């Protein structure tokens, strides 16, 4: 110690006392002490003087407003001193200065501009200024956050090298903690802004054993604390859950597990990483399942849970590390029945590895439960209790666990071994841990209570412990014994005649006394460490001696203390009546639960039917679109028919001219016969088209007969909309039919014109050439007729091709119409089925509502009986009945809505 430096008073006191005790120069020590105290007094006086000057300065708010306006100056010699002055004001009288800045126009926004300053000195001091500004002020924290503070701070951290950065990274992390801690609005804004994903590179530290500087350790420690702020158990459950899912999706949890299993990580970083992983997986099933699949990089690979439990039951490991591992194990099992089953299964005989090559989590817990280290006993007992928390199935499964005590002796159950250790008078910490385990195990599990009472030595041991007058150290054990005995009474199913409820009460009254029993039971909640453990779930103790209570166990004590007190004072007749009422209520509850499940199933079926109806509506819309397309195609074919008609008219004119010329000129009989064949072929094609049109007419008549009759208006309102759509489709099909009839008439006219052409051709064949004309004129006309005949043959060929293409298009239209008709028929059948299903569902729901009303009336009468008997009726029952009424109302509303559809 040096006289010219300032030290805390505790250091000075220890230094002086040590020098006096060990024969130091007392005069010199007193002189040194006098000098240092004088320095301390001068420092305090200067701080008081600074507070007084600050108070004078901010007495006029215009001074602070003027200072904020000066910060907008870009001049370094103005801006930087202004930042330092405002920081000093905030350190002296923070709340008052914060309030002045908060009411100043654009006050916070001006300070946020400091983070964008290109000069690092001003930017870094701006971070320190914002630290002081945001401390313990939620309103300013929200304003700073919405001024894009998260983006700017994360950019600074990235520029500075993340965890490898310097003191600037530390300052930014402290500012981020100020903005996020206990501020749900900022936490939600941080998550929705996808800033959690930007935290993953912070933890990419690698596997190197070197490079862990003091600043890096500090930075990483603050980064882990920032993650814990987002997933703290004190946050609203919904916000915590969303942050946990985001951390898993972006790979942040995987990166933390990598650090957890890495080598060369400093002890304090490893401890904080374990605590961080604990809260990231707490209550989140997806994260818990992933953590269960993590393996340590060993040969052979071992689950991370097993490796961590090895550290917890190892007494050579640091105390804080063992506490962190216990917290991690508790968070892994929190609301995780799957994980609880996996832990308990490692203790069952069917899953134990007989070769002994691998160590399971259950074996480690049993080893710690029965070791010579009292802290290992306590940790293992609490960990095993969390594997049974709110899980009656695993409580029953754990009764099957058998332990081999020594060679030649038969195995004993785990329950019996725990009671044996209790009776041996071990350390208080060990006994407290075992009693907490037994109380958790026996609560809400009558089978476990029966197994416990089956050992005739257990009840006398508990009554003996409670009845004795021991010192203050043993009062806690007496209270836990009273709690265990009270659980054995309250959850007793009277299956053992020697230890029925009434006999146990009589035993307490004779050997202990009811008042004395209740007094001993109250020792638990009155203990000084009980309230400390009930505040937060993390086991955070200054030393092993303070490790007495578990957070979840304090909840159990709070829940059972009152009901056990009432159970002790109740008479046997009241117990019998209460048991009968409980059984009746349980039966009715089971019936109500059954009907509730049925209603839920029917609701799901109704939802499926609604989805099917919506699907059918979509199909109807698609059919309408298809019909519209077909109508447009038919219109195109009509236009083609008109064009064909015009072409056929030209053909008849050419043939008439040809016949006139042929009558005047000689034409070969072969050409006339060939022309006849072509005309016959055209005639057959027309007949084929006519037969196809007749088939289409019959299809349209069938479709018309298959449409619903006018009486279908009496269908349920749920399919009214679909019937209208089908009616519209029917109208469109009728329109199509009229169009086809029109085309049929036009084709008939075309056929008549063909017949006239045929008659002209036959008349031409019978006629003879006209004599008397000159050979030159005849030759000229013959050449002209031959040319016209060639053109006619070419046009006839083109006409045949067009008729062939038209026939193919007609065939395609017929197929499309057939498909539309079949789809409409299927659609109508499905709608009829849906109508029948909806009617049946409504009838079943009406029956269920009647049954539920009867059950509610019975339950109400039973509750009145309970009230007459003096038994308090819990509000949850009333709320449940209220919920049932709400569900009934919702079902009726759904029925009405279904009727309007």
């Amino acid at each position: 110690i040096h006289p010219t430096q300032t030290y805390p008073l505790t250091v000075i006191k220890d230094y002086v006392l040590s020098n006096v005790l060990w024969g130091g120069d007392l005069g010199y020590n007193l002189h040194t002490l006098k000098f240092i105290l004088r320095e301390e007094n001068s420092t305090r006086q200067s701080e008081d003087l600074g507070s007084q000057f600050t108070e004078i300065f901010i007495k006029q708010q215009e001074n602070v407003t003027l200072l904020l306006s000066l910060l907008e100056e870009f001049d370094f010699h103005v801006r930087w001193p202004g930042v330092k002055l405002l920081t000093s004001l905030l350190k002296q009288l923070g709340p008052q200065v914060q309030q002045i800045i908060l009411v100043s126009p654009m006050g916070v926004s001006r300070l946020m501009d400091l983070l964008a300053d290109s000069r690092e000195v001003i930017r870094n001091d701006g971070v320190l200024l914002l630290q002081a500004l945001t401390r313990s002020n939620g309103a300013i924290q929200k304003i700073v956050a919405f001024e894009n503070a998260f983006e700017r701070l994360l950019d600074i951290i990235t520029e500075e090298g993340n965890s490898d950065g310097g003191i600037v990274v530390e300052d930014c992390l402290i500012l981020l903690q100020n903005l996020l801690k206990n501020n749900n609005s900022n936490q939600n804004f941080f998550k929705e802004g996808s800033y959690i994903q930007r935290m993953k590179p912070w933890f990419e530290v690698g596997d190197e054993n070197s490079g862990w500087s003091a600043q890096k350790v500090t930075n990483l420690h603050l980064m882990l604390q920032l993650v814990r702020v987002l997933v703290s158990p004190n946050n609203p459950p919904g916000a915590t859950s969303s942050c946990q899912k985001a951390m898993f999706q972006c790979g942040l949890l995987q990166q933390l597990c990598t650090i957890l299993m890495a080598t060369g990580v400093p002890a304090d970083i490893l401890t904080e990483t374990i605590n961080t992983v604990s809260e990231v997986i707490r209550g989140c099933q997806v994260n818990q399942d992933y953590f269960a699949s993590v393996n340590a990089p060993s040969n052979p690979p071992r689950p991370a849970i097993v490796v961590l439990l090895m550290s917890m039951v190892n007494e050579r490991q640091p105390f804080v590390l063992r506490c962190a591992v216990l917290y991690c194990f508790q968070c892994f099992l929190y609301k995780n029945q799957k994980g609880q089953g996996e832990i308990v299964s490692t203790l069952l005989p069917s899953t134990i590895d007989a070769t002994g090559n691998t160590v399971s989590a259950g074996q480690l817990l049993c080893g710690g439960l029965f070791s010579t280290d009292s802290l290992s006993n306590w940790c293992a007992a609490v960990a095993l209790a969390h594997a049974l928390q709110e899980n009656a199935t695993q409580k029953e499964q754990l009764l099957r666990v058998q332990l081999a005590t020594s060679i030649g002796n038969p195995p004993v159950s785990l329950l019996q071994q725990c009671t044996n250790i209790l009776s041996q008078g071990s350390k208080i910490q060990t006994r407290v841990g075992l009693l907490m385990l037994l109380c958790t195990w026996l609560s809400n599990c009558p089978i476990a209570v029966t197994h416990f009472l089956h050992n005739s030595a257990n009840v006398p041991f508990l009554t003996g412990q409670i009845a004795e007058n021991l010192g203050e150290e043993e009062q806690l054990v007496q209270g836990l014994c009273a709690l265990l005995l009270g659980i054995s009474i309250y959850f007793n199913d009277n299956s053992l005649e020697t230890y029925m409820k009434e006999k146990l009460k009589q035993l307490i009254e004779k050997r202990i006394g009811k008042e004395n029993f209740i007094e001993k039971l109250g020792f638990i909640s009155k203990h000084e460490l009980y309230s400390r453990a009930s505040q937060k779930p993390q086991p955070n103790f200054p030393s092993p001696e303070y490790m007495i209570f578990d957070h979840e166990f304090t909840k159990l004590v709070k829940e059972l203390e009152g009901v056990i007190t009432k159970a002790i004072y109740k008479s046997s007749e009241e117990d019998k009546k209460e048991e009968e009422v409980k059984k009746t209520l349980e039966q009715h509850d089971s019936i109500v639960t059954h009907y509730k499940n049925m209603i839920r199933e029917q609701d799901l079926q109704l939802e499926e039917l609604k989805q099917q109806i919506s699907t059918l509506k979509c199909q109807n819309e698609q059919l309408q679109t298809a019909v519209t397309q077909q109508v447009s195609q038919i219109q195109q074919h009509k236009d083609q028919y008109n064009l064909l008609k015009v072409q056929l008219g030209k053909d008849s004119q050419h043939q008439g001219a040809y016949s006139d010329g042929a009558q005047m000129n000689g034409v070969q009989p072969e050409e006339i016969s060939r022309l006849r064949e072509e005309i016959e072929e055209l005639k057959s094609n027309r007949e084929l088209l006519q037969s196809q049109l007749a088939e289409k007419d019959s299809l349209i008549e069938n479709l018309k007969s298959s449409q619903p009759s006018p009486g279908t208006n009496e269908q349920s309102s749920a399919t009214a909309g679909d019937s209208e759509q089908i009616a519209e489709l029917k109208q469109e099909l009728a329109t199509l039919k009229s169009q086809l009839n029109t085309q049929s008439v036009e084709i008939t006219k075309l056929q008549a014109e063909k017949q006239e052409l045929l008659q002209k051709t036959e008349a031409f064949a019978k006629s003879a050439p006209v004599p008397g004309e000159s050979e030159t004129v005849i030759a000229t006309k013959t050449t002209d007729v031959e040319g016209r005949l060639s053109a006619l043959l070419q046009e006839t060929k083109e006409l045949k091709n067009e008729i062939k293409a038209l026939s193919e298009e007609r065939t395609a239209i017929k197929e499309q119409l057939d498909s539309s008709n079949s789809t409409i028929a299927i659609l109508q059948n499905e709608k009829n089925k849906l109508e029948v299903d909806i009617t049946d569902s409504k009838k079943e729901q009406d029956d269920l509502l009647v049954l539920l009303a009867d059950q509610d009336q019975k339950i109400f009468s039973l509750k009145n009986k309970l009230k007459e008997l003096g038994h308090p009726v819990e509000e949850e029952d009333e709320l449940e009945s209220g919920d049932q009424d709400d569900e009934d109302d919702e079902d009726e509303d759904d029925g009405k809505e279904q009727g309007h559809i």
Side-chain angles (χ1 to χ4, degrees):
I1 191 166
H2 196 273
T4 61
Q5 295 185 6
T6 302
Y7 296 92
L9 291 177
T10 54
V11 177
I12 299 169
K13 179 181 176 182
D14 295 339
Y15 172 76
V16 174
L17 290 177
S18 64
N19 277 275
V20 171
L21 291 175
W22 293 101
D25 188 351
L26 181 59
Y28 176 77
N29 292 333
L30 293 177
H31 174 73
T32 305
L33 179 61
K34 180 179 179 181
F35 179 81
I36 294 175
L37 290 176
R38 186 171 65 248
E39 291 294 326
E40 288 285 339
N41 292 331
S42 64
T43 303
R44 291 179 180 176
Q45 290 176 1
S46 63
E47 292 178 354
D48 295 338
L49 188 62
S51 299
Q52 294 174 9
F53 282 134
T54 302
E55 186 176 358
I56 295 171
F57 183 82
I58 67 174
K59 192 172 183 180
Q60 295 182 354
Q61 297 185 5
E62 294 80 5
N63 295 334
V64 180
T65 306
L66 178 61
L67 182 58
L68 291 173
S69 63
L70 291 175
L71 292 179
E72 294 182 348
E73 295 290 337
F74 188 74
D75 188 359
F76 179 82
H77 298 288
V78 176
R79 199 171 203 182
W80 186 56
V83 173
K84 302 292 284 186
L85 176 57
L86 190 56
T87 305
S88 299
L89 295 176
L90 286 166
K91 288 181 179 179
Q92 295 295 335
L93 295 176
Q96 294 87 333
V97 179
Q98 287 174 345
Q99 190 62 30
I100 295 173
I101 295 175
L102 188 61
V103 299
S104 298
M106 300 296 292
V108 179
S109 300
R110 293 171 181 173
L111 300 180
M112 287 301 300
D113 293 337
L114 299 174
L115 297 180
D117 201 304
S118 59
R119 295 161 294 192
E120 292 186 359
V121 176
I122 296 179
R123 184 199 67 183
N124 298 341
D125 285 340
V127 173
L128 297 176
L129 172 60
L130 291 174
Q131 283 183 18
L133 179 65
T134 57
R135 190 173 291 114
S136 304
N137 193 308
I140 293 180
Q141 290 171 2
K142 292 179 181 179
I143 296 174
V144 171
F146 282 95
E147 288 286 346
N148 205 21
F150 293 139
E151 184 76 26
R152 297 182 183 180
L153 291 173
L154 292 175
D155 289 340
I156 294 173
I157 293 174
T158 303
E159 292 172 2
E160 295 292 329
N162 294 327
S163 60
D164 293 324
I167 190 68
V168 178
V169 174
E170 179 182 350
D171 294 335
C172 292
L173 292 171
I174 294 174
L175 178 55
L176 285 173
Q177 285 192 17
N178 289 348
L179 296 175
L180 293 174
K181 194 170 186 179
N182 300 324
N183 195 317
N184 299 329
S185 175
N186 283 1
Q187 290 175 7
N188 188 41
F189 180 69
F190 191 85
K191 177 187 69 69
E192 292 181 352
S194 301
Y195 296 120
I196 292 179
Q197 288 80 346
R198 297 188 60 178
M199 298 170 68
K200 180 186 176 184
W202 294 357
F203 304 101
E204 296 175 355
V205 296
D207 296 331
E208 66 275 4
N209 295 327
S210 60
W212 289 94
S213 62
Q215 186 61 54
K216 182 175 181 178
V217 171
T218 302
N219 292 343
L220 200 57
H221 194 82
L222 290 171
M223 290 172 178
L224 293 170
Q225 288 182 349
L226 190 62
V227 175
R228 294 185 64 184
V229 166
L230 296 172
V231 293
S232 173
N234 298 326
N235 295 341
T240 301
S241 177
S242 59
C243 289
Q244 288 173 334
K245 293 177 181 178
M247 290 178 183
F248 174 76
Q249 293 172 356
C250 72
L252 180 58
L253 175 60
Q254 294 84 332
Q255 199 63 43
L256 292 174
C257 291
T258 302
I259 298 176
L260 191 65
M261 295 290 105
T263 57
V265 180
D268 54 346
I269 294 297
L270 180 61
T271 303
E272 190 64 23
T273 303
I274 295 174
N275 289 327
T276 304
V277 171
S278 304
E279 294 183 351
V280 172
I281 68 173
R282 187 177 188 268
C284 183
Q285 187 66 50
V286 177
N287 294 3
Q288 289 168 339
D289 292 341
Y290 171 76
F291 184 72
S293 65
V294 175
N295 290 324
S298 59
N299 191 14
R302 291 178 176 175
I305 298 175
V306 174
V307 176
L308 292 175
L309 288 178
M310 287 180 178
S311 301
M312 187 186 73
V313 298
N314 187 355
E315 56 184 319
R316 291 176 294 181
Q317 293 292 339
F319 173 68
V320 291
L321 179 63
R322 299 174 73 179
C323 291
V325 173
L326 176 62
Y327 184 46
C328 184
F329 191 74
Q330 291 174 351
C331 292
F332 170 69
L333 297 179
Y334 183 71
K335 294 183 179 180
N336 183 11
Q337 293 190 355
K338 178 182 177 182
Q340 290 174 329
E342 292 173 353
I343 296 298
V344 173
S345 65
T346 58
L347 286 167
L348 299 179
S350 59
T351 58
I352 296 177
D353 187 7
T355 60
N357 295 330
T358 59
V359 180
S360 65
Q363 292 172 345
L364 289 172
L365 291 176
C366 281
L369 194 62
F370 307 123
S371 69
T372 57
D373 180 27
S374 61
L375 183 59
S376 297
N377 301 151
W378 191 92
C379 292
V382 171
L384 197 56
H386 277 261
L388 307 176
Q389 201 76 35
E390 299 179 357
N391 196 328
T393 303
Q394 302 310 322
K395 292 177 181 179
E396 297 176 5
Q397 289 291 324
L398 200 63
L399 296 172
R400 298 170 49 200
V401 177
Q402 300 290 323
L403 302 176
T405 55
S406 59
I407 300 176
N409 294 328
V412 297
S413 65
L414 178 61
L415 183 65
Q416 181 61 41
Q417 186 64 17
C418 292
T419 56
N420 293 339
I421 295 175
L422 278 176
S423 62
Q424 294 174 2
S426 54
K427 295 181 180 180
I428 292 180
Q429 194 174 36
T430 301
R431 285 183 287 165
V432 169
L434 291 173
L435 285 169
M436 287 195 298
L437 172 60
L438 291 174
C439 290
T440 305
W441 195 346
L442 269 59
S443 63
N444 295 292
C445 186
I447 298 176
V449 172
T450 304
H451 278 74
F452 178 76
L453 296 176
H454 193 269
N455 187 354
S456 58
N458 289 337
V459 175
F461 169 75
L462 293 178
T463 55
Q465 288 287 320
I466 300 170
E468 291 182 3
N469 293 322
L470 303 175
E472 295 182 359
E473 295 181 354
E474 295 291 334
Q475 287 183 352
L476 177 59
V477 177
Q478 287 182 317
L480 292 172
C481 290
L483 178 64
L484 183 58
L485 186 57
I487 290 173
S488 302
I489 295 173
Y490 185 73
F491 295 103
N492 192 344
D493 58 357
N494 294 326
S495 59
L496 293 176
E497 295 183 0
T498 55
Y499 291 113
M500 298 178 68
K501 284 186 177 182
E502 190 60 30
K503 291 184 179 181
L504 289 174
K505 290 180 184 179
Q506 294 174 0
L507 183 64
I508 289 175
E509 188 172 3
K510 290 179 181 179
R511 296 189 180 182
I512 304 172
K514 292 183 179 180
E515 291 77 10
N516 190 22
F517 179 85
I518 299 302
E519 181 183 0
K520 297 293 178 66
L521 182 62
F523 286 163
I524 302 174
S525 57
K526 294 178 182 178
H527 198 275
E528 58 181 355
L529 298 178
Y530 176 86
S531 60
R532 181 173 182 175
S534 62
Q535 293 175 359
K536 55 183 180 179
Q538 182 181 359
N540 189 10
F541 304 100
S543 62
E545 292 78 16
Y546 291 89
M547 210 168 189
I548 297 297
F549 286 109
D550 174 57
H551 176 75
E552 293 295 331
F553 180 73
T554 59
K555 293 182 181 179
L556 182 66
V557 173
K558 186 177 180 180
E559 176 186 352
L560 295 179
E561 187 175 4
V563 295
I564 290 175
T565 302
K566 293 180 181 178
I568 294 297
Y569 284 106
K570 282 183 180 178
S571 62
S572 59
E573 295 180 356
E574 292 177 347
D575 285 338
K576 290 180 181 179
K577 292 180 180 180
E578 184 179 353
E579 288 295 332
E580 292 177 358
V581 172
K582 281 185 177 180
K583 289 181 180 178
T584 307
L585 286 175
E586 288 177 356
Q587 292 176 357
H588 287 291
D589 289 342
S590 63
I591 294 173
V592 171
T593 303
H594 174 68
Y595 284 125
K596 283 183 178 180
N597 294 331
M598 290 180 63
I599 289 174
R600 291 191 186 97
E601 292 177 357
Q602 290 183 352
D603 288 339
L604 293 175
Q605 292 177 359
L606 286 174
E607 290 295 331
E608 292 178 357
L609 292 175
K610 289 179 181 178
Q611 292 178 359
Q612 291 178 3
I613 289 174
S614 63
T615 303
L616 293 175
K617 286 182 179 179
C618 294
Q619 292 179 357
N620 275 334
E621 292 177 356
Q622 294 176 358
L623 288 174
Q624 283 184 344
T625 305
V627 169
T628 303
Q629 293 177 355
Q630 290 177 1
V631 169
S632 63
Q633 290 178 359
I634 290 173
Q635 184 63 34
Q636 293 177 0
H637 292 311
K638 182 179 179 180
D639 296 338
Q640 292 177 0
Y641 273 123
N642 294 330
L643 181 61
L644 181 62
K645 179 180 178 181
V646 174
Q647 292 178 351
L648 289 176
K650 292 180 179 180
D651 187 18
S652 63
Q653 292 177 359
H654 285 301
Q655 288 184 355
Y658 169 73
S659 62
D660 294 339
Q663 290 176 359
M664 292 183 296
N665 301 287
V667 181
Q668 296 297 327
E670 292 82 4
E671 294 179 355
I672 295 174
S673 63
R674 181 166 54 81
L675 184 60
R676 285 181 177 179
E677 290 175 358
E678 291 177 353
I679 292 173
E680 289 293 335
E681 185 177 358
L682 290 174
K683 184 177 179 180
S684 63
N685 288 334
R686 291 298 175 214
E687 292 176 354
L688 179 61
L689 287 174
Q690 189 174 4
S691 63
Q692 291 178 355
L693 288 174
E695 290 177 0
K696 290 188 181 298
D697 290 336
S698 64
L699 287 173
I700 291 173
E701 290 296 330
N702 293 332
L703 180 61
K704 181 177 179 181
S705 62
S706 65
Q707 294 300 317
S709 62
T712 57
N713 292 329
E714 298 176 358
Q715 293 177 350
S716 64
S717 59
T719 57
D722 296 334
S723 299
E724 293 176 358
Q725 293 177 357
I726 294 175
E728 293 176 358
L729 184 60
K730 176 182 174 182
Q731 293 177 358
E732 292 175 356
L733 291 174
T735 304
L736 178 62
K737 178 183 175 183
S738 62
Q739 293 176 356
L740 292 176
N741 289 333
T742 303
Q743 292 179 0
S744 177
V745 171
E746 291 176 356
I747 292 174
T748 304
K749 292 180 180 180
L750 209 59
Q751 186 176 5
E753 293 176 358
K754 285 281 186 180
Q755 189 66 28
E756 292 177 359
L757 180 62
L758 181 62
Q759 292 176 0
K760 290 181 180 180
T761 305
E762 290 176 354
F764 169 72
K766 293 178 181 179
S767 63
V770 179
E773 295 185 26
S774 63
E775 294 180 357
T776 305
V777 174
I778 292 173
T780 304
K781 291 184 177 181
T782 300
T783 305
D784 186 17
V785 169
E786 288 177 355
R788 293 166 61 184
L789 181 61
S790 299
L792 180 63
L793 291 176
Q794 183 66 28
E795 290 179 356
T796 304
K797 185 176 180 180
E798 293 176 356
L799 182 62
K800 287 169 64 179
N801 294 331
E802 291 178 357
I803 291 174
K804 184 177 181 181
L806 186 61
S807 176
E808 292 176 354
E809 290 178 356
R810 284 291 179 185
T811 304
I813 291 174
K814 178 182 176 182
E815 292 176 355
Q816 291 179 357
L817 286 174
D818 293 339
S819 176
S820 300
N821 294 334
S822 61
T823 304
I824 292 171
I826 294 171
L827 184 62
Q828 186 65 32
N829 293 331
E830 290 179 352
K831 288 183 181 297
N832 294 333
K833 291 180 182 179
L834 289 176
E835 291 172 3
V836 175
D837 292 339
I838 290 172
T839 305
D840 295 338
S841 299
K842 291 176 65 177
K843 290 180 180 179
E844 291 178 359
Q845 282 191 350
D846 293 336
D847 296 338
L848 290 176
L849 290 174
V850 173
L851 291 174
L852 286 174
D854 295 339
Q855 294 299 328
D856 289 338
Q857 186 64 30
K858 291 180 182 179
I859 290 172
F860 182 75
S861 62
L862 288 173
K863 287 180 181 178
N864 291 332
K865 290 181 182 180
L866 281 175
K867 291 180 179 178
E868 293 174 359
L869 294 175
H871 181 74
V873 180
E874 297 179 356
E875 295 180 359
E876 294 178 358
D877 297 335
E878 298 176 2
L879 291 174
E880 185 176 359
S881 63
D883 294 338
Q884 181 64 39
D885 295 337
D886 294 339
E887 290 178 2
D888 295 341
D889 295 338
E890 290 176 1
D891 292 336
E892 293 177 3
D893 295 337
D894 292 340
K896 292 180 180 179
E897 292 177 1
Q898 184 68 25
H900 289 298
I901 295 177

